């Protein structure tokens, strides 16, 4: 289950990055209008085909993989927390938090297909984005706290434990425990950093700490003047008799550019958070196999450096033969009487 968790996290991160990069490349290649922003909002990347197809299918795949990642992570956390619960290091309430994190993580993942499918409806589109960010925030904070408790439990084992040598190699038990502690610590530090950056990006993107006026719509006349196409401006993107559905960010471009970058930051930090599941993946059997290999190498090196042993029986036989020959030598050359 730990390997599935790591594989799902890696697949989620790779799919999300490829989806956004391909959609951005298509947007730039086709000259899609993005309101004058250097890095556009995700909704602008998926407004026109074929970028909309890439974003739709890509985000749906990411949603499935993200849900699987949280599910596998729940199974992994439950297995580790149950061991700590049996040792009296955590309570039942702490173990139940794993279900909370999994529930919010999986439910939040369903916000991505809604976010990608209803980009033409601003209300549903924005609510889906808000629900996704809220659920993933709860899941990330809960999982980070659980990883912190697991780290404390592993550290207490290292501080109070007495380890013995087993049949897998020298000091394999202590090395396994130390490797698990280092892996959990590495994953916790990655998660803590990503949670801090993610929270900052969410507060900037929503926005929460400042007032941001909504960007005005681009008029049909302005759209035609930008040479976006007569039919595109007056029919495809038509909002009413005067305005189009396109947004004009240039009147307050600094604020909207920061919000677009904050939205990108939310995605990148969430991807980085899922990669922490890959970073703290340590298999006990793999470490035992490594111990076996190292022990075998040491054994063969010592065997090769030792001189060959001589048999004591042969040595005594040779000595007796040489003694007998030396004794019989004068008799052979002695003069007859």
């Amino acid at each position: 289950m730990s390997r599935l968790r790591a594989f799902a996290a890696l697949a989620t991160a790779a799919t999300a990055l490829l989806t956004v990069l391909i959609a951005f490349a298509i947007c730039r290649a086709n000259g899609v209008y993005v309101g004058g922003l250097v890095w556009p909002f995700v909704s602008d990347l998926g407004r026109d085909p074929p970028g909309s197809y890439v974003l739709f299918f890509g985000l749906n795949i990411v949603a499935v993989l993200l849900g699987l990642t949280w599910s596998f992570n729940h199974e992994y956390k439950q297995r580790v927390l149950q061991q700590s619960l049996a040792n009296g290091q955590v309570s039942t309430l702490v173990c139940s938090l794993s279900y909370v994190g999994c529930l919010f993580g999986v439910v939040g993942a369903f916000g991505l297909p809604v976010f990608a499918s209803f980009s033409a409806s601003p209300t549903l589109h924005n609510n889906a984005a808000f629900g996704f960010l809220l659920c993933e925030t709860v899941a990330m904070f809960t999982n980070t706290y659980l990883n912190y408790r697991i780290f404390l439990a592993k550290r207490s084992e290292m501080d109070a434990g007495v380890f013995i040598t087993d049949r897998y190699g020298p000091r394999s038990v202590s090395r396994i425990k130390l490797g698990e502690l280092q892996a959990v610590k590495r994953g916790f530090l990655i998660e803590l950093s990503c949670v801090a950056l993610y929270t900052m990006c969410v507060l900037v993107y929503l926005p929460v700490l400042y007032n941001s006026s909504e960007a005005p719509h681009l008029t049909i006349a302005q759209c035609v003047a930008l040479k976006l196409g007569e039919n595109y401006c007056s029919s495809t993107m038509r909002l009413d008799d005067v305005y189009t559905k396109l947004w004009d960010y240039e009147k307050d471009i600094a604020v909207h550019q920061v919000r677009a970058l904050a939205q990108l930051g939310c995605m990148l930090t969430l991807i980085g958070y899922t990669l922490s599941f890959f970073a703290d993946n340590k298999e006990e059997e793999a470490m035992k196999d490594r111990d076996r290999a190292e022990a075998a190498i040491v054994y063969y090196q010592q065997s090769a450096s030792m001189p060959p042993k001589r048999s004591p029986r042969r040595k005594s036989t040779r000595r007796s033969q040489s003694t007998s020959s030396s004794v019989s030598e004068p008799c052979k050359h002695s003069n007859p009487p």
Side-chain angles (χ1 to χ4, degrees), residues 67 100 228 326:
V100 176
L228 299 180
S326 62

Side-chain angles (χ1 to χ4, degrees), residues 18-332:
L18 285 176
T19 299
V20 175
L21 290 177
I22 292 174
F24 179 74
I26 293 174
C27 176
R28 288 301 184 190
N30 293 343
V32 176
Y33 176 76
V34 292
L37 300 178
V38 177
W39 178 267
F41 289 97
V42 176
S43 57
D44 293 327
L45 290 178
R47 186 181 63 243
D48 300 330
S52 58
Y53 303 143
V54 173
L55 205 65
F56 174 77
F57 288 108
L59 291 183
N60 277 273
I61 295 173
V62 170
V64 174
L65 292 175
L66 186 60
L68 291 175
T69 301
W70 283 114
S71 300
F72 293 148
N73 179 68
H74 165 68
E75 296 293 334
Y76 172 78
K77 284 290 191 295
Q78 275 295 304
R79 178 167 58 85
V80 178
L81 289 172
Q82 288 298 326
Q83 295 176 357
S84 300
L85 179 63
N87 296 331
Q89 296 170 324
V90 297
S91 62
T92 308
L93 179 61
V94 174
C95 292
S96 63
L97 289 178
S98 177
Y99 292 94
V100 176
C102 178
L103 178 63
F104 276 91
V106 174
V107 171
F110 285 103
L112 279 178
V114 179
F115 175 81
S117 303
F118 297 94
S119 58
S121 176
T123 303
L124 189 57
H125 179 81
N126 294 332
N127 290 336
F130 178 77
F132 169 76
L133 293 175
L134 178 62
C135 290
E136 295 302 323
T137 300
V138 175
M140 290 168 65
F141 272 90
T142 305
N143 187 75
T144 304
Y145 173 73
L146 290 177
N147 214 12
Y148 174 69
R149 294 301 300 267
I150 292 174
F151 168 72
L152 293 180
K154 296 292 184 183
R155 190 174 64 178
S156 64
E157 289 181 3
M158 287 297 300
D159 292 341
V162 177
F163 306 108
I164 60 174
T165 302
D166 68 356
R167 61 190 179 92
Y168 295 112
R171 298 183 302 279
S172 61
V173 176
S174 62
R175 293 180 65 181
I176 289 171
K177 295 295 182 181
L178 181 60
E180 291 176 352
L181 177 63
Q182 292 175 347
V184 172
K185 181 180 179 180
R186 180 170 57 250
F188 170 69
L189 292 177
I190 295 175
E191 291 175 358
L192 188 63
S193 302
C194 290
V195 164
L197 294 175
Y198 178 84
T199 304
M200 294 173 57
C201 292
V202 168
L203 294 177
V204 173
Y205 168 64
L206 285 180
V208 176
L209 302 178
Y210 62 95
N211 294 324
S212 176
S213 59
E214 190 178 37
H217 285 281
L218 195 70
T219 64
I220 296 177
Q222 290 174 334
C223 180
V224 174
L226 292 173
K227 299 180 180 180
L228 299 180
E230 184 72 29
N231 184 57
Y232 181 80
C233 297
S234 60
S235 178
T236 306
M237 289 289 118
R238 179 188 178 92
L239 181 64
D240 52 30
D241 295 337
V242 179
Y243 294 100
T244 64
K245 297 177 183 179
L246 303 176
W247 300 100
D248 184 11
Y249 302 118
E250 294 185 0
K251 294 183 179 180
D252 199 2
I253 193 170
V255 174
H256 295 294
Q257 184 63 79
V258 170
R259 289 191 62 213
L261 292 175
Q263 185 189 58
L264 176 64
C266 292
M267 298 178 61
L268 293 179
T269 50
L270 181 58
I271 291 172
Y273 191 91
T274 57
L275 287 179
S276 69
F277 301 161
F278 180 79
D280 66 357
N281 178 55
K282 285 289 184 181
E283 290 290 340
E284 183 175 340
E285 291 300 324
M287 299 186 70
K288 287 182 178 180
D289 291 340
R290 195 179 302 116
D291 272 342
R292 293 190 190 102
E294 291 178 358
I297 291 173
V298 172
Y299 171 76
Y300 286 116
Q301 287 178 347
Q302 292 178 352
S303 300
S305 61
M306 292 177 61
K309 295 182 179 180
R310 295 182 178 180
S311 176
R313 180 177 297 178
R314 289 183 177 180
K315 188 174 182 181
S316 60
T317 305
R318 289 179 181 177
R319 285 183 178 179
S320 61
Q321 289 177 355
S322 61
T323 305
S324 61
S325 62
S326 62
V327 171
S328 60
E329 189 73 21
C331 297
K332 184 184 298 184

